Amino acid sequence: MSKAFTKETDESPDEEEGQPVSPLPPGVKNYITPIGYQRMKDELDQLWKVERPVLVQTITWAASNGDRSENGDYIYGKKRLREIDRRIRFLSKRLENAAVVDPVQRESCDQVFFGATVTVCRQDGAEHIYSIVGVDEADAGRGLISWVSPLARALLKTRADDVVMLHIPGGIEELVVVGVAYRAIRFDD
């Protein structure tokens, strides 16, 4: 049988290997901030309009060199192309199901909802600032927490001076909401 009719790998094209499993419950909207939406759209455009065409050109050139079984440009190019196509499918699905919520629209609100920047005081007196963002934007190290995370769910619908009981593996931690603000979320790279 010719190599042209054999599969290069055993994985099915529908598998989303390497892509994070969605932490969203089924049927729930994928809330996202305008900046997070734009970042994902920019990544999709970069992959689709820049990286993929260049890679396809490289693979075409490598295939024209003859024997593909030991052709590194061809083998690794095809592998990278599958990775790019998988990421493009993932981003397309996420953007298609996204519900963009602009936190700036809620400036006068004093209650915690999606897009809020919340200042909390922990039991040890340390203050921490968290912004509640979409699952695709979350980065706990920078204070960006997903709206489906346990901390965000505990903070939702609270106001300044409310006390929140957060269930953690070591027991329960008491947090005091110090302040609630709505402003554009910043993603400083």
Side-chain angles (χ1 to χ4, degrees), residues 68-157:
R68 297 177 188 171
S69 64
E70 294 181 13
N71 186 333
D73 288 330
Y74 179 78
I75 292 169
Y76 294 112
K78 291 287 283 187
K79 181 178 180 182
R80 177 68 181 140
L81 184 63
R82 284 191 301 274
E83 292 169 358
I84 287 174
D85 287 344
R86 190 175 306 128
R87 184 69 179 165
I88 287 171
R89 281 192 308 274
F90 175 79
L91 290 170
S92 296
K93 286 179 191 176
R94 296 305 274 224
L95 291 172
E96 181 180 300
N97 296 327
V100 180
V101 178
D102 190 357
V104 177
Q105 302 289 329
R106 292 186 163 249
E107 282 181 359
S108 62
C109 186
D110 66 341
Q111 200 170 9
V112 177
F113 292 108
F114 180 87
T117 299
V118 185
T119 305
V120 297
C121 184
R122 296 195 177 268
Q123 290 172 334
D124 61 4
E127 284 191 0
H128 295 279
I129 299 173
Y130 299 105
S131 294
I132 301 174
V133 296
V135 295
D136 298 313
E137 308 167 273
D139 183 354
R142 293 186 0 219
L144 304 171
I145 59 173
S146 166
W147 67 276
V148 295
S149 70
L151 176 57
R153 289 193 319 213
L155 292 172
L156 288 174
K157 298 184 181 177

Side-chain angles (χ1 to χ4, degrees), residues 27-39:
V28 174
K29 291 183 181 180
N30 179 25
Y31 295 110
I32 191 167
T33 63
I35 294 172
Y37 183 87
Q38 189 60 47
R39 286 173 58 130

